[in-house]
Amino acid sequence: MTSPQDDGAGPAGWASPAGPPAGGRATPPPPPAAPGAPGGASSWGEPPTPPAWGGPAAPTGWGPAAAPPGTGAAPPVAGTPGWHLPVLQPGIIPLRPLGLGEILDGAVRAIRANPAVMFGLSAVVVTVAVALQTLVQLYVSSLLGMALGDAALEEGLSSADTAVMSELLSTSGGQVLTQPLLVPVTSVLTGLLIVSVSQSVLGRRVALREVWRTRRVWFLVGWGLLQLLASLLAAALGVGAVVALAAAGATGAAVATALLGGVALFAALVWVTTRTLLVPPALMLEGKPFWSSVARAWRLTRGSFWRLLGIYVLANLLVLALMYLFVVPAGMVAGLVSLSSGSDDITVLVSAVAQVLGMTLSTTFLAAVVALLYVDVRIRREGLDLELARAAAADA
């Protein structure tokens, strides 16, 4: 099928379905085929369709809605005012446009539906990445701490002030220098989790070995590095402009440029992040070339900017509040241990443990939310729920 927005067609199912007829959504799908009847192709393009591990039972309720118990009234007949077509839900979400609560609840259901992939894979990947980051951070912090300590002693500062300043600047400097190491890891993990969520929508469970089988996750690595490079370039241009004005003696202009440039950079970051929010699921699920997927995801966000932004910000706030349950106690413990032992390494190690827990939760939940936002946008714009209903009927 071809998309009303795209020139080329993608793989079966995730290629955009034909647009709805003029004046409304597409007509509902036919009732699901009986068991054993020939079904259509899988609704998810990448990776290969996994075996149905106890797939959903045959959908029911495609006829008239049942009457409320105890009323004695007969159920309404199709076509009468009281009749409606019940919504099919083979997996974690109902196959219709989703509300805010259904998206957040669906993200939690996706984790519960396949915890081995969602939590197990996340914990392993994040632990390895944070361990490597911690080793680099300890080395960088040691070098920065020695340099800052020597500089502070030359300025005549006390040993206590020198220790405090060295600890703060070396730890924060090490985190800044090593943070880019997590970008490729987070990108890979997000893509793998999106594959699992896409199968959970149809009530399927994908095995860990099948998640690893996809190679399109390297597209997400490139996308993450591209985002990082663009952010660094924009920040470098802003800082360069401020430094140039300050060196020329235009202090007022430098301050104004810093304030206005910071606001403009933040606004641009929010806008670009929202318009490209659906790039990861498009790259992983549609099977198109890199730039075609990016352009298609950009077009999908038209008319949905504020809704996508609001749900994504709310999801991040929920994750941030959850992370504080780990980060704040870990920081307090690290501070007490550091004061008693006099070693900054303990602070870094305790912070690393808290970071593993926080990143595992945040990456897993946000990846599920982004995948469900992609499904919701395509249901609203392209009638993807009809394609998914046909795939669920074929499974049954």
Side-chain angles (χ1 to χ4, degrees):
M1 299 181 182
T2 58
S3 167
Q5 293 88 12
D6 294 323
D7 296 327
W14 275 118
S16 306
R25 286 170 55 86
T27 56
S42 168
S43 183
W44 308 92
E46 182 76 29
T49 304
W53 295 356
T60 59
W62 285 89
T71 60
V77 181
T80 60
W83 184 86
H84 66 278
L85 183 66
V87 178
L88 181 65
Q89 183 172 344
I92 58 175
I93 57 171
L95 299 184
R96 58 169 171 75
L98 304 175
L100 170 62
E102 290 170 329
I103 290 177
L104 300 180
D105 179 67
V108 177
R109 287 172 176 266
I111 298 173
R112 294 174 58 188
N114 200 353
V117 172
M118 299 295 289
F119 263 149
L121 177 63
S122 300
V124 171
V125 173
V126 169
T127 300
V128 173
V130 173
L132 295 176
Q133 183 197 32
T134 302
L135 293 177
V136 176
Q137 184 176 336
L138 289 173
Y139 179 72
V140 172
S141 298
S142 177
L143 294 180
L144 289 177
M146 294 174 58
L148 291 172
D150 294 340
L153 290 176
E154 292 178 0
E155 295 294 331
L157 296 178
S158 65
S159 58
D161 294 337
T162 301
V164 172
M165 185 175 66
S166 175
E167 178 184 352
L168 292 176
L169 293 181
S170 62
T171 302
S172 60
Q175 289 178 346
V176 170
L177 293 176
T178 57
Q179 192 64 30
L181 297 176
L182 294 179
V183 172
V185 175
T186 305
S187 300
V188 170
L189 185 55
T190 299
L192 297 177
L193 296 179
I194 285 174
V195 173
S196 177
V197 176
S198 69
Q199 299 298 315
S200 297
V201 169
L202 291 174
R204 302 170 181 168
R205 290 186 62 187
V206 60
L208 184 59
R209 63 181 181 275
E210 292 169 318
V211 172
W212 280 112
R213 195 178 299 172
T214 177
R215 298 179 181 178
R216 294 187 63 84
V217 73
W218 296 109
F219 281 177
L220 278 188
V221 175
W223 175 247
L225 294 177
L226 183 62
Q227 286 181 305
L228 178 63
L229 180 61
S231 301
L232 293 177
L233 181 60
L237 290 176
V239 172
V242 172
V243 171
L245 290 174
T251 306
V255 173
T257 301
L259 294 177
L260 295 177
V263 173
L265 184 61
F266 177 76
L269 178 64
V270 171
W271 183 70
V272 173
T273 300
T274 307
R275 291 302 305 269
T276 58
L277 185 62
L278 304 183
V279 168
L283 286 172
M284 292 302 299
L285 300 176
E286 295 199 13
K288 295 185 178 181
F290 180 84
W291 289 112
S292 297
S293 298
V294 172
R296 168 159 166 73
W298 184 277
R299 291 191 294 268
L300 280 175
T301 59
R302 288 177 183 170
S304 303
F305 177 87
W306 293 110
R307 187 170 185 275
L308 293 174
L309 175 61
I311 295 176
Y312 191 64
V313 169
L314 179 59
N316 276 275
L317 291 177
L318 293 175
V319 166
L320 186 62
L322 188 61
M323 287 183 64
Y324 267 105
L325 297 178
F326 299 98
V327 175
V328 173
M332 297 174 61
V333 171
L336 294 175
V337 173
S338 178
L339 289 176
S340 61
S341 64
S343 174
D344 298 341
D345 295 346
I346 302 297
T347 303
V348 175
L349 293 176
V350 174
S351 300
V353 173
Q355 188 177 11
V356 168
L357 295 175
M359 281 191 61
T360 300
L361 293 173
S362 61
T363 305
T364 303
F365 184 74
L366 290 178
V369 168
V370 170
L372 294 180
L373 284 174
Y374 169 81
V375 174
D376 176 62
V377 168
R378 289 199 54 187
I379 286 176
R380 293 172 182 271
R381 297 192 58 177
E382 301 173 348
L384 180 66
D385 51 335
L386 308 182
E387 295 291 307
L388 298 180
R390 294 187 183 99
D395 285 346

